[in-house]
Amino acid sequence: MGNKIINMPAARIGTQWLVILCVAMAASGTNLDSGICPVAGDSGCRGNPPDQARYDNYRIYNVEFENQEQIELFQKLEEQSDSLTFIGHAREVGQKLSILVAAHRVADIADLLKTYKVKHRVLTYNFQEKIDRNLAEVQPESIDASQLDWQHFFHLKTIYEWLDKMVEKYPNRVTVLDMGSSTQGNAIKGVKLTSNANNKAIFIESGIHAREWISPAAATYIINQLLTSQDPKVQQLAQDYNWIIFPCVNPDGYKYTFEHDRMWRKNRQLFGTCRGVDLNRNYPDHWNSTGSSSDPTRYDFAGPSAGSELETKRLIDFIRANAGKEQIKTYIALHSYSQMLMFPYGYTKERVSNYDDLQEFGKKASAAIKAESGRDYVSGSLFETIYPSSGGSMDWAHSEAGIPIAYTFELRGPPDSQDLFILPAVEIQPTASEAFTAIRAIVEAAAEKGYYK
Ligand code: 0X9
Ligand code: ZN
C-alpha cells in the first residue's frame, strides 16, 4: 500500500475496498489524516509492519483426556478450526496433548474445557513473548560465518557458508555435498567427513520440519565436535566412521520461519489457497495410511502423492545412489520436541526384524543422556512412543533403503514444554551434546553387535 492509494478520493475506491483499506491502515497504525507513514519500515509502504505472523496472547493449553466424549470433542475442534494448533491428534484416554490457542478463541476454549470437565493446565499465556525472546537470539544474516556458535540461532545462509568454511579449514577431511535445489530453488547442502574411504557411514538428516531450529543447530554442533573435539572417544568415532550430515533438508521452510512465521513446519509448495507438504509424511513407504492428512491446509499433509515433493525426491535419490557405495548403515533424523529416541516403524505396531537390538541401543542411549544431563528421554518404536504416522523418512530409510539402524530423535524440551519448538538458545549446547551422546551410544552398541563389520 503506497501513499498514492492513500491519497485517492474515496469515491474512486469501491466501498468494500475502502473498508478493507481502512481496517488495514488502522491495524498497521497508518495515519489516515495525514496520509504519512509514521515509522520507516522495510515492506510495502514505508511504515507498514513486516509480513510476519504474530502470536500475541496465544495460549498453550495442555489437556488430558479422561473419556471418549472429550476425545471426540477435541477431534471435532481440530477438524473445524485453523485457530487451534494441535501438537498431535486427540486419540486415546490418558493421552496428554498441547494445543496453541489463538487469542480470539481463549474464552471459547476455556468455556468448553469447563463444560466438558477436561483436565488441563495453561502452560503459556502469551506465546509471542517466547517468539520475541527467541528472535532476539538470532544473529543477523550478514554475520561472518566464522562467528557461528551454539549460543545463537543462525540463518540458512550462515549455516551454508559455515559448511564451506569447514571445507577450507579441513580440506582433507571435509567435502561439501549438494543434493540439488528445493522447491523454491534453495540448495540442499551437506558435508561428508571422511577418514577412510572404506569406513561405514552414518547419515544425519536435520531440519525436515522448519520450526524445529534445534535440529540444524545440533547438526552443526556434531560436525564441529567430529572435527575439533580433543576427547579421544570422539576422535575414535571420527576415525572409524564416515559421517554424512545435511543440516537443513527443508531450506524453504527454514527460511520462511525466519522471515514470516516462526511456527511454519512444512515445505512451501503451493496448493491453490495454501502451502506446504509435511515432508516427513511424504515418503513412499505406506504413504498416507495413518497419522497424516490429505488436506493441504493441515500441518501433517502427506502431499498429493507418495514422494511428490522435490525435497523428498532429492533425499531419496541421494540415499539410493549412496547407501551401497558409501555403506550407510545408520540413519538418524533429528527433530524436536518431546525428548524421545525412536526407531521404526512409524506406520504400524508390527516389529522390525531387529526390534530387540534397536530397543537395546535406544535404552543405552537414553541412559547415556540421563548420566550426562539428568534429562529423561523415552525410547521405543515410533508407533508405540509418540503416535502412529506413515510416510516418514526413517521408515523409508529402514524398509526401502535397507539401512538397519534408523532412529528419529525428538530433542528438548519435555513433552509438556512451555516453549513448544521455541527452545531458548542457552539450551542449544546441552541439547546438541545430548543428541551426539545418544548417537555415540547407539553406534558403539551397534558396533559391538557387529552391525558395522
Ligand atoms: O510428527 C512427526 O513427524 C515427528 N514429530 S514432530 O513433533 N517433530 O513433528 C515424529 C513422527 C515421525 N514419524 C515418522 N518418522 N513416521
Ligand atoms: Zn519434527
Side-chain angles (χ1 to χ4, degrees), residues 172-173 192-203 226 234-244 322-330 443 447 451-453:
N172 300 326
R173 292 178 64 192
K192 182 179 165 201
L193 313 186
T194 314
S195 292
N196 182 329
N198 299 322
N199 278 350
K200 305 289 188 292
I202 294 159
F203 184 93
L226 287 164
V234 175
Q235 288 180 348
Q236 195 65 50
L237 218 60
Q239 276 294 315
D240 293 348
Y241 303 91
N242 295 335
W243 297 74
I244 300 170
N322 291 289
K325 201 169 80 184
E326 299 287 347
Q327 306 186 80
I328 300 173
K329 300 289 172 203
T330 302
V443 170
Y451 275 92
Y452 304 115
K453 287 241 167 75

Side-chain angles (χ1 to χ4, degrees), residues 87-88 205 208-209 211-212 265 278-281 283 285 290-291 299-300 333-338 340 342-347 382-383 386-396 407-411 421:
I87 313 297
E205 167 219 291
I208 202 168
H209 288 146
R211 61 194 174 189
E212 299 165 13
R265 164 182 171 95
D278 182 347
L279 297 172
N280 210 31
R281 299 291 184 277
Y283 282 76
D285 182 82
T290 182
Y299 76 85
D300 54 0
L334 297 179
H335 289 251
S336 71
Y337 62 98
S338 284
M340 293 168 174
M342 305 175 294
F343 52 85
Y345 297 111
Y347 80 97
L382 195 138
F383 188 98
I386 185 163
Y387 39 65
S389 65
S390 57
S393 61
M394 175 190 72
D395 278 3
W396 179 86
Y407 286 85
T408 296
F409 290 2
E410 298 285 5
L411 303 176
F421 307 94

Side-chain angles (χ1 to χ4, degrees), residues 165-206:
K165 286 211 183 290
M166 291 300 104
V167 180
E168 277 168 33
K169 216 167 161 186
Y170 306 97
N172 300 326
R173 292 178 64 192
V174 188
T175 40
V176 161
L177 302 169
D178 192 342
M179 283 185 186
S181 57
S182 64
T183 305
Q184 295 183 322
N186 292 299
I188 305 173
K189 243 164 97 161
V191 284
K192 182 179 165 201
L193 313 186
T194 314
S195 292
N196 182 329
N198 299 322
N199 278 350
K200 305 289 188 292
I202 294 159
F203 184 93
I204 301 180
E205 167 219 291
S206 284

Side-chain angles (χ1 to χ4, degrees), residues 16 120 125 131 168 211 241 254 308 318 351 403 440:
Q16 241 183 345
H120 68 276
Y125 283 90
I131 295 178
E168 277 168 33
R211 61 194 174 189
Y241 303 91
Y254 188 68
S308 57
F318 181 90
R351 295 181 165 196
I403 300 175
R440 286 161 57 189

Side-chain angles (χ1 to χ4, degrees), residues 63-121:
V63 298
E64 183 174 350
F65 304 123
E66 292 180 304
N67 57 52
Q68 197 55 34
E69 186 191 36
Q70 294 175 348
I71 294 167
E72 281 164 23
L73 172 75
F74 277 84
Q75 285 173 342
K76 277 203 197 101
L77 277 171
E78 189 182 10
E79 224 173 88
Q80 286 166 359
S81 180
D82 67 352
S83 46
L84 307 174
T85 304
F86 278 61
I87 313 297
H89 303 292
R91 290 180 297 109
E92 60 198 13
V93 170
Q95 181 193 357
K96 288 183 179 170
L97 195 63
S98 288
I99 302 162
L100 181 64
V101 176
H104 71 282
R105 295 297 304 279
V106 159
D108 182 25
I109 294 302
D111 167 68
L112 288 174
L113 291 170
K114 205 171 158 191
T115 306
Y116 288 88
K117 299 187 172 59
V118 183
K119 222 170 144 184
H120 68 276
R121 286 188 297 154

